[in-house]
Amino acid sequence: PMITVSPPPGGGAERISVAAMQGVTSGPSDLHYGNNVILRRGATYTITVRIDGDSVAFRATVPASA
């Protein structure tokens, strides 16, 4: 998989290193991919995931306060 995070206008897209992950209690039956990234509070990002020629994109807004 390839994951790209595109920040609000004025910033460049960042390709995220992808890690194979599994649930702490589920083990290998919960194999998934991802990584942790730092995002700016109150900003809206577009996240694009590509796997074998297929892709999906969605928008996510980080809450302004925790």
Side-chain angles (χ1 to χ4, degrees), residues 1-63:
M2 183 175 72
I3 302 172
T4 305
V5 176
S6 299
E14 179 180 351
R15 186 171 173 183
I16 305 301
S17 297
V18 179
M21 308 168 83
Q22 55 183 297
V24 174
T25 58
S26 302
S29 66
D30 182 27
L31 176 65
H32 56 279
Y33 299 91
N35 210 329
N36 295 323
V37 295
I38 296 172
L39 303 174
R40 194 176 78 216
R41 289 183 180 179
T44 299
Y45 294 83
T46 300
I47 296 91
T48 305
V49 180
R50 291 183 178 84
I51 301 175
D52 294 332
D54 292 321
S55 67
V56 64
F58 61 94
R59 292 175 57 109
T61 301
V62 180

